[in-house]
Structure formats: structure tokens, C-alpha cells
Amino acid sequence: MMALNRFQTNDCFYYNTTDNYIQCHDSRQREIRIATDDIVCIIPKHETIGNGYTMLFLGRRPRGASGDLQDDCERLESVLFSSLPPELLSLHLCESVPCHLQTCGCETREVHVILSTLSGTGRAKHIYHHVLQPLLRHFGLTDYDVHETDSPYTITDLCRSRFILNAESGVAQTIILLSGDGGLTDIVDTFHTALKTPSYPPTIALIPAGTGNAMASSVGIASRPVSALVTLLRGTPKPIPVFSATFSPGAQYITGKGRSRAHIADKSTNESLPPRIYGAVVISWGMHAALVADSDTVEYRRFGADRFKMAAKELLFPSGGAETHKYTGTVTFTRGDSQNEGERVETMETREHMYLLVTLVPRLEETFVISPESKPLDGCLRMVHFGPLPPQHAMQLMSHAYREGQHVKEDQVYYSEITRLRIDFDEKDEKWRRVCIDGKIVVVEEEGWVEVNTGNRCALNLLVPSDM
């Protein structure tokens, strides 16, 4: 179903620019006000106008009476102009289809669109039908395959059955991914688990549809809905660095909203090797992992990113009146030693922890800066840690992350670049042995462990803003 373009007629609009808006009107005195931040692109020489332009922008539908997040969605709309000011054209004119979307040309290329139907509040299908599909049609692009997820394994199955084979056989691919961090991790993990390094690494165009959208926030395409679309048209591909997490043999994925378990090891790989997962965003244990796991329910997900704050409150102030849990285990890490120009292995003196997170990205949400020294896609792992604190103090400390990462300046927080990490768990209850990797939850067996290392190869590219 195509989006309804309210102003798509043969009449041209005229304009006045005021501050950050374009005030438009036509010969029939119809008016529309477009925020310049909502402009996706300007296409030259519409077929009905000799030298005119089509402006594509996002129009917003008001939130419904129910207050449902699904009602507050954008739609792609268009307006025809006979002329536009040079300053607008210099910023938004898109005269040709970018090479990563061209399926006809000097190289064989496939374009795929993946709709992660359960990501976040379930907006992926709406974004596709009302924004992405109309945008691609404006450029005459219809030769692409659309895949809707119908299980937790849809994306990994697609990678194994098609994307990896294409990459190994020299077929260029662009994967437009409407998902959160979990869908990206599925692709990252499956490609890096494959034995071969692809000769043609696919390019991923991420359109954020998850809850936190850490990767999208970190590369600057989540601040405004239009940012990801502009990057799709004008972005530059850059390699995606990864980390590997190797687990003790009994570790398993937690699936089905916490009710089921799934093996980590790929059946096609050597099952004598310990389970290993590759990630591109974050791995955590303690409060962060617990709140991500506990908030993964239908009831919590309808609150969007606020579900994390709600789950955190329950963990810090248990409704049953119990004390806040102290996570027990031995943490060992390796970091650079500038004096000896080598590396130094350190073991934390404390065995009680509240928050332990290792990340490749600066932001977990658009305004939540977990690692202020991290640069997007720089491949550097950084660790954020603090031990048990009074609940109110812990909440106040982490609220400073919303102040551009000021929490890392607190005395209770250890913050450092590292190259390796190992956690040996000492918890009886598996609830406190859950590990979060890019939004996915792994439970480790009693007396189990996990080791984290920086990756040594890049098998995928990510489209990022051209000025990043």
C-alpha cells in the first residue's frame, strides 16, 4: 500500500522561507508548512514540469486518542516546485540513485529489505509501507526483495541461506534493515561465525525501529526520523568493528520472553569449541543485563525506551522489600600499558558488582551517553563499572549519563579502554548470571564464565552519514 501524498498534483507550489520552515502555497491557495529538518531530499526535473523539482519530506500524523505509540508515525509526502532557492538545493538535491541502491549497472548487486516485525514497538512494517517503499518508488527502485521476520531465526537463516553465499561468490549486496540492535547483531554474528571472510562485504543501511537503537544513535541517524533516510541516499559505507564473547560450554540464549532456551553453537560448526557470539554494540552483566532481560515482555515493550527505566526501578527497589542484589564474580581485564608499551592484566579486588558494561559505541539511546570517549566504529572497547551502591545513589549516578556521559567522572565509576575481559560467575541463581549482548540475553551455567575480545576482522559495512 502506497502512502497518501496529499500534495502530489500537477500544480506547482510557491514558497517563502522563514527560519527553519518553508511556507508553501499554490494557485488554489492551498498551503503547507514544511520544517527543513523534515526534508528527505529534492529530486530534479519531475516529468510533469520541464525544470521543476519534487521535494520529499516526512509529514506527521497526530497521536491517536488512545495515545498508542503506533499512532504517532510519519508518512512520506511530496510537493512540486517550479524553482527552489540555491541554499536548499545545495543541502538536499539528489540527482541520481546512489550506487549501493543500483541493481542494474557494471556490477551485480542485490538489494534486500528486512522488516524486523517484533523490534521495539513494532513500527518496522509501518515505516516500510508509508515511508521507505514510497521513497524507493520515487527513484524508480522496485527491484528488491522484502523479508519479514516471523521467528527469532529469520535473519540468521537468511544470512546462511543467501547473504553469505552471495558475499562469498562476488555478489554485491545492500541490506536495508528496519530493526533495532538485535537484528544488526544477528547479521554480524552469523557473518563472523562463517569460516570464510567474504570477498564482497554487504553494506547495511540501518533504519532504526528498535527500542534503544544504540548503533543508530551512535552514528547519528536516530536523532531525527529523517536522518536514516538521508543516510540511505547520501551515506558512506564504513567497516563495522566487532567483539567476540566466548562462553563456558553450558551457556544458552534465553528466548521466548524468558520462557525458553536455545543453543548458541551453530550446528554446522565444530561443536567441541565453546559457544561464541559476535557483537557490535555492547556486552554487559549486572544491572544493565538484568533490566534488558526483565523488560523484554509485551507489557513493558509498549512503553518504548521507558521500559528500561521501569525495569531498573524494580531491580533497585524490589517490590517484595528485598535488598538490591549484589552480583558476585571475579572480573579480570587487559588494557594497554603506556609505560612498557605493552599490555597489563588486572583483576578487580572487589568480587561484588552492580554494573559492568563493555561497549564499542558511545550511546545506548539518543541521549544516554554511556561511553563519552568512544567514537562510532573506531573499534575500541571501553569498560564502565561500579560496585554495589545504595539504590538512590545508583539511580542518580546513572542519570548523569543523560548529561553527555558525566557519570564516568564519578569516583565510584571505573572507566577505561580495554582489549580483553573475563568474568567468572559465582552466583547460585541463574537470574544473576544473565549476560546481555546487543539486546540478546545469554544465561551462563553455575560456575561458568565469559571472555570478551576485540575482533580482528570486519565482514560487513554500515552506511553512515557522509560527514561522519
Side-chain angles (χ1 to χ4, degrees):
M1 177 181 176
M2 287 288 290
L4 176 63
N5 296 326
R6 291 179 293 160
F7 301 94
Q8 191 173 22
T9 72
N10 290 333
D11 292 336
C12 287
F13 275 72
Y14 305 91
Y15 63 88
N16 291 307
T17 56
T18 57
D19 296 327
N20 296 320
Y21 289 88
I22 304 170
Q23 193 76 30
C24 313
H25 66 277
D26 68 357
S27 58
R28 289 184 282 177
Q29 300 305 309
R30 295 181 303 166
E31 293 187 355
I32 180 174
R33 194 167 183 246
I34 304 170
T36 53
D37 282 348
D38 289 336
I39 298 174
V40 177
C41 66
I42 297 170
I43 304 173
K45 297 181 180 179
H46 189 277
E47 61 269 15
T48 61
I49 313 170
N51 294 306
Y53 301 94
T54 299
M55 178 183 289
L56 304 180
F57 66 99
L58 289 186
R60 292 182 176 85
R61 183 176 67 176
R63 186 183 295 269
S66 66
D68 195 321
L69 290 174
Q70 190 70 27
D71 288 337
D72 195 18
C73 293
E74 298 80 16
R75 283 168 162 73
L76 189 75
E77 299 184 353
S78 64
V79 176
L80 308 184
F81 292 94
S82 58
S83 65
L84 284 169
E87 57 269 24
L88 273 180
L89 294 176
S90 65
L91 290 173
H92 304 291
L93 185 63
C94 191
E95 298 190 84
S96 61
V97 177
C99 62
H100 56 263
L101 293 178
Q102 294 179 9
T103 55
C104 299
C106 58
E107 67 174 358
T108 302
R109 177 176 293 274
E110 292 185 2
V111 175
H112 298 268
V113 178
I114 298 178
L115 312 181
S116 182
T117 56
L118 296 180
S119 289
T121 55
R123 296 181 63 237
K125 290 176 71 172
H126 178 99
I127 295 171
Y128 171 69
H129 288 296
H130 297 285
V131 178
L132 178 61
Q133 185 184 42
L135 175 64
L136 296 177
R137 286 197 177 181
H138 270 286
F139 283 90
L141 299 174
T142 58
D143 185 16
Y144 56 87
D145 294 331
V146 180
H147 314 273
E148 290 188 21
T149 61
D150 56 16
S151 82
Y153 311 106
T154 300
I155 295 178
T156 55
D157 289 344
L158 274 170
C159 289
R160 291 170 184 155
S161 64
R162 188 163 183 179
F163 300 158
I164 290 176
L165 295 177
N166 282 345
E168 291 175 348
S169 59
V171 177
Q173 299 171 99
T174 296
I175 302 170
I176 305 174
L177 179 63
L178 284 73
S179 173
D181 296 311
L184 178 63
T185 299
D186 284 337
I187 300 176
V188 165
D189 182 46
T190 311
F191 264 81
H192 282 267
T193 301
L195 299 180
K196 296 181 181 179
T197 299
S199 55
Y200 273 69
T203 293
I204 298 175
L206 184 59
I207 297 181
T211 303
N213 300 307
M215 179 62 82
S217 297
S218 294
V219 300
I221 60 172
S223 58
R224 297 180 292 120
V226 76
S227 300
L229 302 175
V230 172
T231 300
L232 175 64
L233 297 176
R234 306 171 75 121
T236 303
K238 289 191 176 182
I240 303 175
V242 302
F243 61 82
S244 66
T246 305
F247 289 88
S248 48
Q252 293 182 304
Y253 279 119
I254 296 180
T255 61
K257 310 303 180 187
R259 296 185 297 271
S260 305
R261 302 290 185 268
H263 291 292
I264 294 173
D266 179 2
K267 297 294 185 184
S268 65
T269 62
N270 187 343
E271 294 191 0
S272 65
L273 297 176
R276 178 174 295 170
I277 301 172
Y278 292 88
V281 178
V282 65
I283 179 168
S284 68
W285 172 55
M287 191 172 72
H288 177 267
L291 69 88
V292 173
D294 290 349
S295 66
D296 189 19
T297 65
V298 174
E299 291 77 14
Y300 270 124
R301 277 187 173 272
R302 67 189 182 91
F303 294 103
D306 285 342
R307 70 183 174 103
F308 298 132
K309 298 176 184 177
M310 297 166 68
K313 186 175 181 180
E314 176 62 26
L315 286 165
L316 290 170
F317 305 94
S319 54
E323 290 187 0
T324 306
H325 185 72
K326 299 175 182 178
Y327 298 81
T328 306
T330 301
V331 176
T332 305
F333 59 94
T334 304
R335 61 180 182 140
D337 186 346
S338 57
Q339 291 183 344
N340 298 317
E341 297 184 353
E343 291 186 328
R344 182 172 61 192
V345 179
E346 300 181 29
T347 299
M348 288 188 180
E349 292 183 3
T350 180
R351 297 188 71 253
E352 293 184 341
H353 315 272
M354 178 174 266
Y355 194 98
L356 174 58
L357 180 146
V358 174
T359 183
L360 284 170
V361 301
R363 299 174 184 269
L364 298 186
E365 302 169 22
E366 178 57 33
T367 58
F368 191 88
V369 182
I370 190 63
S371 177
E373 292 183 14
S374 293
K375 305 298 180 186
L377 307 183
D378 69 355
C380 295
L381 282 174
R382 286 181 169 83
M383 178 172 68
V384 180
H385 172 273
F386 57 87
L389 295 172
Q392 201 66 44
H393 188 177
M395 285 192 70
Q396 182 180 18
L397 188 153
M398 290 312 298
S399 71
H400 293 171
Y402 289 99
R403 294 164 48 193
E404 294 300 318
Q406 292 296 308
H407 62 293
V408 301
K409 297 181 179 179
E410 298 292 330
D411 292 339
Q412 299 90 341
V413 177
Y414 181 84
Y415 178 54
S416 176
E417 181 178 343
I418 65 171
T419 56
R420 286 185 290 277
L421 171 79
R422 179 179 170 109
I423 306 171
D424 290 278
F425 301 96
D426 187 14
E427 291 280 2
K428 296 294 184 183
D429 189 340
E430 72 168 25
K431 179 179 181 179
W432 313 121
R433 288 184 263 111
R434 294 176 297 180
V435 174
C436 173
I437 298 181
D438 295 4
K440 295 181 178 293
I441 304 299
V442 174
V443 62
V444 181
E445 75 273 29
E446 196 170 344
E447 298 184 359
W449 50 266
V450 61
E451 291 185 354
V452 182
N453 288 273
T454 52
N456 55 13
R457 65 188 179 105
C458 294
L460 298 157
N461 294 319
L462 181 70
L463 272 184
V464 299
S466 55
D467 58 353
M468 194 187 96

